[in-house]
Amino acid sequence: MRALTTLALAAAFLSATHAETLELVLQDGHEGYTGTEDFMMYAPSSVAFVNYGRTSSLASGINRWGEHYCSIVRFDVRSIPAGSKVLGAKLLLYHHSEDFPRRALTVDVHELTAANADWSEGAGDGTRTPTPGAPCWAYRKYDTDEWAGSGGARKPDVDFSTKWVSQAEAAPETTAWLEFALPASAVQRWIDAPKTNAGLHLWPSMAAEKGDIVYLSSSEAEDQEHHPKLVLTLASSARLVSSLNRARATRAISRASERCTEVSGYALPYGPPPETKARLGRVRRALAELARTLAETQTVGDAVLGQVSSQADRHVRELNRIIADLPRDRARHWNETNGLPTDFALGIESPMVKVFRRDAPFEGEFRKTVRISLARNEHEGAQIVIVPVDVDLEGVTWEITGLDGSGLSASVAPVGYVRSVRPHPAKLPDPSHWWPDPLLSFLKSFEVPRREVQPLWLDVYASAEAPAGITRGQLTVRAENAQPKMIGIEVTVFDFAVPVEQHLRTIWGMSESNFGKYYGDDYDEDLAWEYFNLFLDHRLAVADLYRTKPTGEKGADSVYHLASTEALKRLRARGSGWWNVGYVLAPKWALQEARGFGADTYEAYLDTCVEMFREEVARVQAAGWPADRLGIYFLDETSDFEALAKAAEVMKRAFPDIPLMTTGYDRSYGLGDGAVAKWMDIWVPLTPRYHEDRSQIIEGRKLGKQVWWYICVGPRDRGALNWFVQYPAIRARLLMGVAARKYAPDGFLYYRVAGWNNNDEPISDGPYTNWDPHYHQTLPDGDGMLICAGPEGPLSTIRLENIRDGLEDYEYYWLLDDLLAEARARQLSGRAAAIVQRAGELQDIPEELLKSIVEYGESPEALLSQREKVARAIEQLQRIVEAD
């Protein structure tokens, strides 16, 4: 879906029809056409002001929850000469859902009225922030102009005309093209008087039941072949043919020129090397000459069109090669400037940026030294990127020297790649099918061909004994067929320690049955603790969210290696911040025979839970686990509030001092007289709902209630703070760090860390792996999967590393608050008082870093700059407090 512009038209002549006619196919992406505008509107009040101009579907009808959608589509026909005769017209829309509609559904197409003509589709992707001037359910232009009649432009003869209607039937649960015959006279009018082209309204007027909905591919759909089509039959003439050919040729040149501008702008920040500048100059001059020649040509026949299109395409291919070669040209220039052989070079990239091995150019820097800053008890990383220049590198290995004996430890792991299976539905830039994700710590060497790069993930840890100040080391990268290259490592240790205690409480879904199925009899207590230690090293609480049988029995208890007082003490010593006593199922699950509870009634099941949980509570108490770090989890995402209240009452009477937690869709947060509000202690809404309900949440906290937040398969709009494989790496860090700081949830919940259903064996090779990154059905890649199985134990991911970095950022703010409270309690004056005042200004998150959960920056430099300011303020406050 794109803004209107002067368009190139795709003209394909029909060899089997009369020579006096031609068929014209208007479809975004087909032979240069970019003139489709389309958008979806969604009725619920929470999204009635939200623009869906850039989503991949045009939904129309009633969804399974009873909510209404409708859609609008328009094709620009301004490049067809006025007076051209339209003989026939049809609209084709691809219905892509295999689940809906639930019954055969007739879809109606009406023409929008002139009163609604003044709209443009907008750039919204469903992010729940209104887009000024963009259409939505409530407005034609948010928030100044409403639709002429009603929300969704659904009022007959006011919003859309009933003079004619075209219909097509969508078969139930079947993907297919829907074909709508349009009046030739309507399209003729659009050509002769373009301002009358208001667009087409899509709505199944027969929709009455939940599930009466069609999901049609929009012009933003990933598969270009499924974009909306307008197919016209026109009376042929020499004038028309020449005009269409000129439009196509002009568009081909324009497309190439736009690409040239894009490539030039892309290269500019790097100070493009001489060869890149020269190549860009040659393409720019050739395109200017091609445009001049076309302008001087009186009649554009098929031969001229073919020559222009061929040359323009050739220039686009050259521009694509220039982009692909830019990292190599930059690497060559760097090495030559520094007197190094040009076999390969070493670049640097932030751990908050995903580096593609191929298909997208490396955008990092070339420097002699990588700089890392961190506190004691903290990890921080960087990526060292190997860029081949003159040779295909073979047998690449690496070595770190110079950091020994400094309280620092460093490790290096090649970044692994997974093939995209289910890219995110809110389409993001998708430069490659291969996405960086697992860290292949078992891999000891690899190859890197030219035109590819390979990042090494450098992780540095400062122990509690690490001295403050700067320590220098070196990373050496060797290849069997190239000379070694070195890059300096400069580590700055701040003069304070990140607490071992996890101050942002978390709970995660982790099951030993998932871990163990890949290792057979080799999965013993030592291997189990490799998994547990991975989570502890990343500041994640170790406990299972869905622990239905805390009995300590293998095959029944999901974390059976932790069902002992000794194990619980070990977790607490490592700072694990939450323990889930158990999970209470909903009635429909609890009474299933396969669950093995042997209960005929829900009351009997709850009694069984009480007895199991009593034994677990005894173990927990014997381990000295703090009461405010315990919970019992209930009825995942339920709307059965009667069962939720019943279960909560039973558990609260049995365990009055243990908090009860739910992701149920109750929104009372402890307010009101409802039974759920009375018995429940901790609510866990999805992050957007938390954001919407903050006023109620604040009031609920005054009553002693807690509210955590969570993510899962949602939110999943383009701007969501989530950590799918195709999302920018920095989002995981922002969510767990500055977003948690700004909105102060009492904790964070995530439902699964190892959803490996589609994998049969551990990762054993790389950097390209055979690991399937999607967990279940239509869930996006990476959802429910934060770690991978390696040949000898768990493998971290780029996403997990950024989660830890965010949690450590959160701890910086906890330290800042703690020290400020202590400093403010003392009557300070002079310079000390000024330091306290400046430090206090850092407690608020800058809006340019994060304004809301859908408005934030993605600059690693900005985040690290703010982190440095907080760190230096902590050091100053610490000295003031210790000196007083």
Side-chain angles (χ1 to χ4, degrees):
M1 294 174 252
R2 301 169 179 85
L4 291 174
T5 185
T6 301
L7 304 169
L9 302 176
F13 294 95
L14 294 179
S15 59
T17 61
H18 297 293
E20 291 79 14
T21 66
L22 62 83
E23 185 177 84
L24 189 63
V25 178
L26 309 184
Q27 182 186 39
D28 265 26
H30 179 57
E31 298 188 359
Y33 182 75
T34 58
T36 310
E37 286 192 293
D38 47 11
F39 65 93
M40 180 183 78
M41 296 180 280
Y42 192 12
S45 59
S46 61
V47 289
F49 305 115
V50 175
N51 175 251
Y52 293 87
R54 296 181 68 183
T55 53
S56 59
S57 281
L58 301 174
S60 284
I62 304 172
N63 69 15
R64 56 180 172 171
W65 297 289
E67 301 167 333
H68 287 213
Y69 295 78
C70 63
S71 294
I72 289 175
V73 59
R74 175 166 60 192
F75 295 85
D76 190 346
V77 296
R78 289 177 296 177
S79 290
I80 302 176
S84 299
K85 188 174 182 180
V86 181
L87 304 176
K90 57 185 177 182
L91 170 69
L92 288 91
L93 301 172
Y94 187 76
H95 179 240
H96 63 78
S97 175
E98 296 181 355
D99 301 314
F100 297 95
R102 298 276 174 79
R103 59 177 178 139
L105 194 66
T106 299
V107 182
D108 301 340
V109 169
H110 291 268
E111 187 176 13
L112 278 184
T113 62
N116 283 330
D118 186 19
W119 59 267
S120 58
E121 68 178 12
D125 57 13
T127 299
R128 296 191 177 193
T129 300
T131 305
C136 56
W137 185 273
Y139 288 92
R140 187 176 79 256
K141 296 180 180 179
Y142 181 84
D143 60 350
T144 57
D145 300 325
E146 296 180 348
W147 295 106
S150 65
R154 286 177 54 189
K155 189 171 183 178
D157 290 320
V158 178
D159 288 312
F160 59 82
S161 172
T162 57
K163 289 180 180 179
W164 59 265
V165 60
S166 184
Q167 296 180 324
E169 184 174 284
E173 303 172 350
T174 303
T175 61
W177 282 100
L178 306 186
E179 183 174 319
F180 303 84
L182 302 181
S185 59
V187 181
Q188 185 77 58
R189 175 167 36 81
W190 301 344
I191 293 171
D192 295 339
K195 290 184 178 180
T196 66
N197 184 4
L200 300 171
H201 187 276
L202 314 177
W203 169 255
S205 58
M206 67 176 289
E209 304 172 2
K210 294 178 180 179
D212 282 352
I213 189 168
V214 295
Y215 290 98
L216 306 165
S217 295
S218 78
S219 58
E220 286 287 334
E222 183 174 6
D223 190 342
Q224 177 185 310
E225 295 298 318
H226 291 163
H227 291 175
K229 296 180 185 180
L230 179 63
V231 182
L232 304 179
T233 302
L234 302 171
S236 183
S237 68
R239 174 174 171 267
L240 175 61
V241 170
S242 180
S243 178
L244 294 178
N245 282 348
R246 185 179 297 278
R248 292 178 68 197
T250 300
R251 180 57 185 171
I253 296 172
S254 176
R255 190 167 63 250
S257 297
E258 290 170 2
R259 182 60 173 161
C260 188
T261 300
E262 180 183 4
V263 171
S264 299
Y266 182 87
L268 186 63
Y270 304 116
E275 178 59 24
T276 303
K277 290 181 180 179
R279 293 170 72 183
L280 283 170
R282 289 194 292 269
V283 173
R284 197 176 295 113
R285 290 189 295 273
L287 287 171
E289 176 62 21
L290 190 60
R292 185 189 62 77
T293 301
L294 178 64
E296 294 174 353
T297 303
Q298 296 299 315
T299 300
V300 182
D302 292 348
V304 172
L305 171 63
Q307 291 172 4
V308 171
S309 297
S310 176
Q311 290 185 49
D313 289 344
R314 178 167 56 82
H315 293 315
V316 169
R317 289 193 296 272
E318 171 61 9
L319 289 165
N320 291 338
R321 284 192 291 268
I322 291 172
I323 279 288
D325 290 343
L326 182 58
R328 202 169 67 167
D329 290 343
R330 292 173 56 215
R332 182 191 305 279
H333 186 62
W334 165 261
N335 279 13
E336 289 175 345
T337 301
N338 288 277
L340 300 173
T342 57
D343 39 16
F344 75 99
L346 299 179
I348 299 170
E349 186 55 276
S350 164
M352 292 175 264
V353 174
K354 294 185 177 179
V355 177
F356 293 92
R357 202 168 200 258
R358 65 188 193 203
D359 305 322
F362 166 62
E363 298 182 346
E365 299 180 273
F366 292 94
R367 294 200 312 261
K368 294 181 179 180
T369 302
V370 58
R371 294 177 175 84
I372 294 174
S373 300
L374 73 171
R376 301 184 187 97
N377 287 341
E378 185 182 11
H379 290 258
E380 191 69 19
Q383 295 183 84
I384 309 303
V385 183
I386 302 168
V387 183
V389 181
D390 291 334
V391 297
D392 298 327
L393 297 178
E394 300 173 0
V396 177
T397 58
W398 53 92
E399 179 186 16
I400 295 176
T401 55
L403 298 180
D404 298 337
S406 59
L408 300 173
S409 58
S411 62
V412 171
V415 173
Y417 291 79
V418 294
R419 187 171 181 83
S420 179
V421 177
R422 296 195 182 277
H424 194 266
K427 185 167 175 55
L428 294 162
D430 193 5
S432 176
H433 292 300
W434 288 97
W435 284 77
D437 197 44
L439 302 184
L440 308 181
S441 52
F442 66 90
L443 197 64
K444 304 306 178 187
S445 69
F446 50 77
E447 281 70 48
V448 194
R450 281 171 289 183
R451 298 188 183 276
E452 297 190 14
V453 303
Q454 175 59 47
L456 295 172
W457 193 274
L458 170 64
D459 177 77
V460 177
Y461 173 69
S463 69
E465 293 75 33
I470 296 175
T471 301
R472 292 180 175 86
Q474 181 173 270
L475 172 67
T476 302
V477 177
R478 297 182 174 88
E480 293 174 356
N481 59 335
Q483 296 190 35
K485 299 292 184 299
M486 285 72 73
I487 189 167
I489 304 172
E490 182 178 289
V491 181
T492 299
V493 178
F494 299 129
D495 195 12
F496 63 89
V498 171
V500 173
E501 185 73 47
Q502 298 167 3
H503 289 102
L504 180 63
R505 302 171 188 182
T506 64
I507 179 69
W508 311 78
M510 56 181 71
S511 172
E512 289 194 71
S513 63
N514 283 349
F515 307 155
K517 74 176 184 178
Y518 291 88
Y519 305 102
D521 293 339
D522 290 334
Y523 185 79
D524 54 13
E525 184 166 356
D526 289 340
L527 186 49
W529 274 96
E530 284 194 37
Y531 275 89
F532 302 151
N533 285 330
L534 175 71
F535 300 127
L536 292 167
D537 287 343
H538 288 79
R539 306 191 68 82
L540 276 57
V542 176
D544 181 31
L545 184 64
Y546 301 113
R547 193 185 185 201
T548 58
K549 295 182 178 180
T551 61
E553 298 177 11
K554 181 178 179 180
D557 191 341
S558 56
V559 283
Y560 59 94
H561 278 111
L562 298 177
S564 69
T565 299
E566 292 73 19
L568 290 170
K569 287 181 177 179
R570 187 173 174 182
L571 291 181
R572 282 301 297 156
R574 292 289 309 278
S576 192
W578 192 260
W579 183 253
N580 186 35
V581 171
Y583 174 53
V584 180
L585 292 161
K588 67 176 181 178
W589 305 114
L591 302 182
Q592 288 182 348
E593 184 176 347
R595 296 282 178 172
F597 290 102
D600 295 327
T601 66
Y602 195 49
E603 289 75 12
Y605 161 74
L606 293 175
D607 290 341
T608 299
C609 285
V610 168
E611 292 307 310
M612 286 191 299
F613 293 177
R614 285 194 194 283
E615 294 183 16
E616 177 65 7
V617 169
R619 281 194 291 265
V620 171
Q621 290 175 338
W625 201 281
D628 64 346
R629 294 286 174 147
L630 294 173
I632 298 174
Y633 183 54
F634 286 78
L635 283 73
D636 192 67
E637 294 185 325
T638 188
S639 296
D640 187 349
F641 301 138
E642 181 180 351
L644 180 62
K646 179 184 294 184
E649 180 178 2
V650 169
M651 294 301 153
K652 181 56 70 176
R653 293 189 184 281
F655 308 104
D657 298 326
I658 296 180
L660 310 183
M661 172 192 292
T662 186
T663 51
Y665 295 134
D666 175 77
R667 299 175 73 176
S668 68
Y669 306 111
L671 304 176
D673 299 325
V676 175
K678 178 180 179 180
W679 299 111
M680 195 59 59
D681 300 296
I682 303 174
W683 280 256
V684 192
L686 205 65
T687 48
R689 180 60 52 80
Y690 180 101
H691 197 260
E692 292 170 7
D693 292 351
R694 288 179 68 205
S695 59
Q696 303 100 291
I697 288 170
I698 291 170
E699 293 303 311
R701 285 185 175 136
K702 293 177 181 177
L703 301 175
K705 304 296 186 179
Q706 292 185 42
V707 183
W708 296 26
W709 66 8
Y710 80 108
I711 61 171
C712 54
V713 66
R716 53 179 177 177
D717 50 70
R718 184 187 297 259
L721 283 178
N722 210 319
W723 46 56
F724 307 132
V725 168
Q726 286 84 10
Y727 274 15
I730 193 173
R731 293 191 187 179
R733 185 164 185 168
L734 290 171
L735 175 64
M736 303 308 293
V738 295
R741 164 65 182 188
K742 184 179 182 74
Y743 293 107
D746 294 301
F748 175 85
L749 177 150
Y750 195 67
Y751 78 113
R752 183 164 279 106
V753 297
W756 299 337
N757 290 8
N758 294 300
N759 291 283
D760 297 321
E761 58 186 10
I763 297 174
S764 58
D765 201 358
Y768 295 112
T769 74
N770 62 354
W771 189 259
D772 189 324
H774 94 289
Y775 155 54
H776 188 259
Q777 295 178 350
T778 60
L779 301 186
D781 293 344
D783 182 71
M785 188 189 303
L786 294 179
I787 62 172
C788 302
E792 299 176 352
L795 301 178
S796 183
T797 61
I798 290 173
R799 294 171 295 127
L800 183 61
E801 298 300 302
N802 276 275
I803 288 169
R804 171 171 62 192
D805 289 341
L807 289 166
E808 290 172 339
D809 292 344
Y810 184 91
E811 294 293 341
Y812 276 39
Y813 284 101
W814 185 90
L815 281 169
L816 180 70
D817 290 344
D818 190 56
L819 288 166
L820 275 169
E822 190 170 351
R824 286 167 175 164
R826 308 177 186 198
Q827 299 301 314
L828 300 173
S829 61
R831 182 172 179 274
I835 289 173
V836 171
Q837 181 179 345
R838 287 196 298 271
E841 294 170 357
L842 295 171
Q843 288 181 292
D844 294 329
I845 302 299
E847 287 194 351
E848 58 269 23
L849 196 60
L850 186 133
K851 184 176 181 180
S852 75
I853 58 172
V854 294
E855 298 172 284
Y856 49 85
E858 293 188 339
S859 165
E861 293 77 19
L863 191 152
L864 292 179
S865 174
Q866 183 68 10
R867 175 175 169 272
E868 173 93 10
K869 292 175 185 176
V870 174
R872 296 308 182 187
I874 290 171
E875 290 180 321
Q876 289 180 314
L877 290 170
Q878 194 167 253
R879 286 193 290 269
I880 289 172
V881 169
E882 291 173 352
D884 189 38

